[in-house]
Amino acid sequence: MPARGIGTVLRNVDTEQKLEFIQHLKRIGVDKYVDLPQLVVVGDQSSGKSSVLQAITRLPFPVDDNMCTRFATEVALQRSAGSEYISVQIKAAPAEEDSGVEDNDDLSATGGTETIHDIECTTFPFGSQEFANEFKRVLAAASRQLLGPEEGGQDLSKATLTITVKGPDEINLTVVDIPGLVSAGHDAFETARALVKRYIDNPKSIILAVAHPADPGTQEVFQMIKNIPNKENRVIGVITKCDRKQEGADNWILDTIKNERHHGHYLKQGWFGLRNRLPMEQDTSNQERDAKEADFFTRGVWKDLSPSRLGIKHLRIALTKMHNAHITSSIPELIPEIRGRLSSCDHDLAQLGKSRSLKSEQLECMVELASSFSRLSEDALDGYYHNLPDQDSAKLRKTVQDGLEEFRDSMLHHYQNSLPDLDDTILTTLNKRTWRSSILAEENLEHIYRVIQANRGREFPDEVNQNVMGILWRNQTTNWRTMATALIENLVPKIANTMNVLVKKATTEQELQINTTNWLTSQLPAASEAAADELSRVLSDEARTWTLRPRYSTRAGALYNAYITDMAKSLVELDDDDRSLEYWDLQIKLWLAGHRNVDTVLNTYVRLKAYHEVAMERFVDNVALQVVERHLLGPSSALKMFTPSYVVKMAEDDVEFLKTIAGENEDKAVERANLAKEIASLTEALASAVRFGISNN
C-alpha cells in the first residue's frame, strides 16, 4: 500500500518512542489532568482548515459543509501491526471544566467516551469511494449525536470527536482541528473563542494557524496569533486557497510566505502556501491533488518564492521537524509534572479521609472519632491540657472555674450591696432618748422595722411574726435566678467552642468536623434546659430558710456583738468623762433589753445577714455541682455522651444516625472516585514511562 500521509514522514528513530509514549498517555486519559504535546489546527470559518486536515491525514473530511465546524475533531494516527483500521468516538470534555462553551452533549456530565462507529478497512479500503462515503456517513452520525438533529445552528459543543487511525504505515501523532473563529458580530463569537482558548492555553500545544487570501485585517486568526504565549516557538502558519487569491492581494500573501523578520506576521517557524481542491476536484485522489498543487506553484508569482514554503509536501516536512522537536523538549518536564500532579491528588485524597459510603465504613469512622473525642473531652474536663490544642477554648476546666468564680463574686457583690455592714457612727449622742430614732433611722433597719410592723400577728409585743424572716429572705433572693441563668448562658457557648476545637483535633476531615460539631451542638439546648430545670429546683429549696450549720448561730451572735461594740466605740469618742468601752457596751445592751422592739429589729438584721452568708455559699456550691457539673458537664452532656458505645447503640436504634453525620455527600463521593481514577491514570503513566525507558528524562 502506498505511503498515506504525515505519519510516514514522521518516522524518526530518536523520537518515535517518545511519540508512542505520548499517545499511550492519551489512551489512558492522562491528557485530562496534565497538558500533553499536541498539534492544533486553528483558523477562521471557511479558511480551508478542513482541506488542510484532509491533506495532512489523507482522510476524506467534507470541506464545503457545516458538519465539522461546531466541535473539535481530534485525529490520532497510531502505528500498529495488522490491517488499517479507524475508530470514531465522542469524548466529553472534563466535567469540572468551564470553558464558556455550550454543552450540547450528554457525555459531559460523566466525562465519558462513547464509541459511535468503527470502520474496518478490509471492508472499505482507504482511498476508495466506498470508504469516503462510509466515512462521511459516520461523521454525520457523530455530528447528530453532538449537536442534535437540527441543522444550521450556531451552538458549539465542548465535546471532542476523536478519530483513531491505526495501521502499519502510521506513526503516533495527534492532530486537533478546532471550530473556526468568527467575527465579533457573529452569534458564536464568544463561544468559538472560548473553545479555541481551551486548546491553545495548553503550553505544550503547537499551533498550525490557517489563514486565507482575504484581507488579514478581517481574519480573527491573526489577532489570535498575537496573543499566543511563546508564539515564536509554538506557531506555524499556512495560507490556503492560494489559487483563489483576490486581485491585489499578492503583496501581503507573498510577503507573509517570505516571512521576513520585519514583516508584521513574522513567525519563527514560518508560513506556507497551499492550493486546496476545487469543488469539482473532490473526487480526485490524493496523488492527483498533490500533483496539481505542485504544478500550480511553478507558475506566475509563486515561482519567485522558495519552493520549500509551498505545497503540502513541504508543510508536512516542516510539521515533522517542529513536532519532533516539540515532543523532545516537552518530555523532560512532563514526568516531574505528572509526579507533582500525583502528589497533589494523594494529598487531596488524604484530605477527604477514608471512604464512608457503606454503613460499616461510617460506623468505623464514628467509633474512631468518638474514641478520640471522649479522651480529649476527659482531658479538657480534668484540666489536663498536655494533649489538647494550645487554645484557650480547649481548656474547658479553666473556663468553667473562671465562670463559677465570677458567679460567686457576683453573688457576694449582691449580698454586700443588699445587706451592708451597719455604720459604726449610728449613735451620734450620749442621750439615750435619741438612740431609738438614731438606730431605726438606718436604711436597712428602718426597712426591717416596717416589715415587722406590717406583718404583726398574735405574737407577743416583744416578739417578731414568724413570716417576717421569710418575707425578708425572698426579697434577698430575687436576683439569684438571673445571676445563675447568666452563668449557664455564659458557659453553654464556651462548651460549644470547646467541642468544636476537640472535634477538629479528633479528625481532619472538614465535612465530618462540621457534621459532628453541628450534631453535638444540637444537644446543648437540651442540656441547657435540664440545667435550667435543676436551677429551678435548687431555687425552690432556697426559698425556705433552713440550715443546720452551726456557723449560722455563731455568725449571728458575732455580728450582734460587733455592731454593739461599734456603737459603744462611737459613744466613747463622744464621752468627755472618758468612761470605758466596756461601760458603754453594757449601757447599750441594758438599753436594748429595755427596748425590745428595737432589739428585735437589730437581731432580725444580723440573723438575716448570717443566714444570707450561709445560704449564698450553699447556693453557689449547689449551682456548681447540681446544675453545671451534673447537666452541662455530666454523663448526659454532649461532652461525655459521645463515646464508642453510644455510637454503636445509636447505630442500632437509628439507622439514619450514621448516614446523617458520617455519610459522604454525593459531591464528595464523586470527587473521591474522580481522584482515584486520576491517581490510577497518573500512576500508570509513571509506570509506563519506565517501560518506555524515559522515566529519568
Side-chain angles (χ1 to χ4, degrees):
M1 183 176 290
R4 275 197 344 93
I6 196 170
T8 56
V9 224
L10 281 173
R11 185 162 296 148
N12 184 300
V13 176
D14 294 332
T15 60
E16 185 167 315
Q17 194 171 34
K18 293 183 178 68
L19 293 169
E20 291 177 358
F21 173 63
I22 296 298
Q23 198 59 40
H24 176 71
L25 295 186
K26 286 180 175 289
R27 286 197 297 273
I28 63 176
V30 175
D31 56 332
K32 294 179 182 177
Y33 317 115
V34 177
D35 290 331
L36 297 179
Q38 60 185 350
L39 173 61
V40 180
V41 183
V42 297
D44 289 37
Q45 268 192 355
S46 303
S47 63
K49 286 193 306 88
S50 296
S51 294
V52 174
L53 187 65
Q54 183 187 78
I56 292 174
T57 65
R58 296 312 203 196
L59 292 175
F61 284 99
V63 295
D64 287 323
D65 59 25
N66 195 38
M67 185 175 295
C68 298
T69 59
R70 291 161 58 194
F71 50 82
T73 301
E74 180 180 291
V75 181
L77 308 176
Q78 296 179 12
R79 182 180 170 201
S80 65
S83 59
E84 292 179 294
Y85 170 86
I86 289 183
S87 173
V88 180
Q89 297 176 321
I90 292 175
K91 182 169 65 175
E96 70 274 8
E97 183 175 347
D98 182 9
S99 63
V101 181
E102 296 292 333
D103 180 12
N104 296 313
D105 60 89
D106 297 330
L107 290 173
S108 61
T110 61
T113 300
E114 178 181 345
T115 298
I116 299 300
H117 193 69
D118 291 342
I119 306 175
E120 291 286 355
C121 294
T122 53
T123 305
F124 303 108
F126 278 112
S128 68
Q129 187 59 48
E130 292 84 355
F131 170 78
N133 293 338
E134 179 66 6
F135 185 73
K136 186 172 182 178
R137 188 191 68 77
V138 171
L139 290 185
S143 180
R144 287 192 297 271
Q145 177 73 13
L146 284 165
L147 304 172
E150 183 180 355
E151 297 183 0
Q154 298 295 333
D155 290 343
L156 303 179
S157 172
K158 63 183 178 183
T160 301
L161 180 65
T162 299
I163 302 171
T164 303
V165 182
K166 296 181 179 181
D169 293 320
E170 299 297 344
I171 198 167
N172 297 300
L173 171 70
T174 298
V175 184
V176 183
D177 180 40
I178 304 175
L181 294 162
V182 293
S183 61
H186 197 285
D187 291 342
F189 173 74
E190 293 296 337
T191 52
R193 288 184 70 89
L195 185 58
V196 170
K197 187 175 185 297
R198 192 178 83 195
Y199 282 91
I200 66 175
D201 279 354
N202 174 2
K204 296 186 180 70
S205 292
I206 54 174
I207 296 146
L208 177 60
V210 180
H212 57 92
D215 182 358
T218 65
Q219 299 185 52
E220 288 292 326
V221 69
F222 286 100
Q223 183 60 43
M224 181 211 68
I225 291 173
K226 293 179 182 178
N227 299 324
I228 294 177
N230 192 24
K231 66 178 181 179
E232 292 80 6
N233 297 310
R234 293 179 56 200
V235 182
I236 187 170
V238 60
I239 301 176
T240 65
K241 307 178 185 179
C242 287
D243 56 327
R244 283 174 271 180
K245 62 180 178 60
Q246 298 174 356
E247 187 68 27
D250 292 359
N251 290 341
W252 84 262
I253 295 175
L254 298 179
D255 289 345
T256 300
I257 295 175
K258 287 178 182 177
N259 198 44
E260 295 177 348
R261 183 170 292 275
H262 66 274
H263 191 266
H265 303 313
Y266 171 79
L267 292 175
K268 183 178 179 180
Q269 302 297 331
W271 285 87
F272 292 80
L274 294 184
R275 175 195 181 276
N276 293 5
R277 280 185 173 94
L278 297 174
M280 70 283 298
E281 298 172 351
Q282 293 306 309
D283 294 333
T284 60
S285 68
N286 293 323
Q287 290 77 13
E288 291 173 325
R289 177 240 175 252
D290 293 350
K292 288 184 178 181
E293 181 182 59
D295 178 64
F296 171 76
F297 282 125
T298 61
R299 293 179 281 107
V301 295
W302 308 108
K303 62 184 179 182
D304 296 329
L305 298 177
S306 170
S308 64
R309 292 291 168 178
L310 301 173
I312 190 65
K313 173 184 175 181
H314 297 107
L315 175 60
R316 290 185 193 131
I317 294 172
L319 283 174
T320 300
K321 293 179 180 178
M322 182 180 181
H323 182 269
N324 289 352
H326 187 66
I327 291 291
T328 301
S329 64
S330 297
I331 289 291
E333 60 190 46
L334 185 58
I335 302 303
E337 189 175 342
I338 292 175
R339 288 197 183 104
R341 179 79 181 195
L342 182 58
S343 176
S344 176
C345 288
D346 288 336
H347 174 269
D348 291 344
L349 190 60
Q351 289 296 106
L352 292 178
K354 297 178 181 178
S355 173
R356 302 194 304 275
S357 299
L358 303 178
K359 181 179 178 180
S360 59
E361 295 172 336
Q362 296 165 5
L363 179 59
E364 179 185 359
C365 168
M366 288 302 290
V367 166
E368 182 180 336
L369 175 57
S371 177
S372 178
F373 178 85
S374 59
R375 288 194 302 270
L376 294 171
S377 62
E378 184 177 354
D379 287 348
L381 288 169
D382 290 343
Y384 182 71
Y385 306 132
H386 179 70
N387 296 321
L388 301 183
D390 187 19
Q391 297 176 243
D392 289 341
S393 297
K395 300 175 181 177
L396 183 57
R397 180 51 63 187
K398 176 184 181 302
T399 299
V400 172
Q401 288 295 99
D402 289 346
L404 289 173
E405 290 175 2
E406 184 179 345
F407 169 62
R408 178 202 62 195
D409 293 344
S410 66
M411 291 286 295
L412 180 60
H413 182 69
H414 168 70
Y415 158 69
Q416 291 170 341
N417 285 340
S418 62
L419 295 175
D421 288 329
L422 297 177
D423 190 347
D424 56 6
T425 60
I426 196 170
L427 295 180
T428 59
T429 176
L430 301 179
N431 187 354
K432 295 180 181 179
R433 289 191 297 270
T434 66
W435 287 4
R436 182 181 188 278
S437 59
S438 295
I439 293 173
L440 295 181
E442 201 279 335
E443 181 181 359
N444 287 284
L445 298 179
E446 180 187 16
H447 171 69
I448 290 174
Y449 177 76
R450 288 199 307 268
V451 173
I452 291 174
Q453 294 301 310
N455 290 277
R456 294 186 63 187
R458 302 179 67 177
E459 68 276 359
F460 291 109
D462 59 347
E463 294 178 345
V464 177
N465 189 296
Q466 62 181 359
N467 294 321
V468 168
M469 182 61 77
I471 294 170
L472 293 172
W473 178 240
R474 283 192 293 274
N475 288 336
Q476 289 298 307
T477 60
T478 300
N479 292 331
W480 282 19
R481 179 183 295 275
T482 300
M483 289 186 286
T485 300
L487 169 66
I488 296 172
E489 293 176 347
N490 177 54
L491 288 179
V492 167
K494 292 181 178 179
I495 292 172
N497 290 339
T498 298
M499 292 192 299
N500 182 39
V501 171
L502 299 186
V503 169
K504 288 182 177 179
K505 173 69 174 178
T507 178
T508 58
E509 297 180 50
Q510 187 175 15
E511 182 184 9
L512 189 58
Q513 289 174 353
I514 294 172
N515 290 344
T516 305
T517 300
N518 288 343
W519 170 68
L520 288 172
T521 304
S522 71
Q523 309 303 308
L524 287 176
S528 180
E529 185 177 348
D533 291 341
E534 188 71 41
L535 174 62
S536 294
R537 289 189 288 271
V538 172
L539 286 168
S540 178
D541 293 338
E542 292 295 349
R544 297 181 296 274
T545 54
W546 180 89
T547 183
L548 290 177
R549 295 188 181 187
R551 181 169 176 266
Y552 164 68
S553 299
T554 303
R555 180 63 173 157
L559 285 171
Y560 183 83
N561 290 329
Y563 289 149
I564 289 177
T565 299
D566 287 342
M567 287 186 283
K569 288 179 179 178
S570 66
L571 294 179
V572 169
E573 294 179 2
L574 296 172
D575 187 5
D576 294 335
D577 295 332
D578 296 328
R579 282 167 287 192
S580 67
L581 178 65
E582 290 76 10
Y583 171 81
W584 286 113
D585 188 276
L586 178 60
Q587 292 301 310
I588 294 172
K589 288 179 179 177
L590 291 173
W591 184 87
L592 287 172
H595 296 78
R596 293 291 296 167
N597 59 345
V598 178
D599 188 51
T600 55
V601 171
L602 182 60
N603 258 296
T604 300
Y605 186 71
V606 298
R607 285 165 53 217
L608 185 61
K609 275 183 67 71
Y611 184 75
H612 196 135
E613 291 177 4
V614 170
M616 175 184 67
E617 293 174 358
R618 180 177 63 201
F619 178 69
V620 169
D621 287 346
N622 286 341
V623 168
L625 293 173
Q626 299 180 40
V627 177
V628 175
E629 293 291 336
R630 178 180 298 171
H631 296 286
L632 297 185
L633 309 177
S636 60
S637 70
L639 278 161
K640 286 191 174 180
M641 73 178 211
F642 186 34
T643 62
S645 59
Y646 177 86
V647 170
V648 173
K649 186 177 185 304
M650 283 295 294
E652 295 173 351
D653 297 342
D654 185 356
V655 294
E656 290 298 316
F657 170 71
L658 289 176
K659 185 177 180 181
T660 300
I661 300 176
E664 287 185 329
N665 61 47
E666 185 177 350
D667 290 343
K668 190 171 183 180
V670 170
E671 182 181 2
R672 184 189 303 282
N674 288 339
L675 280 171
K677 184 177 180 181
E678 182 173 351
I679 289 172
S681 181
L682 296 174
T683 302
E684 164 59 20
L686 293 178
S688 64
V690 176
R691 293 196 302 271
F692 278 90
I694 56 176
S695 59
N696 295 323
N697 286 2

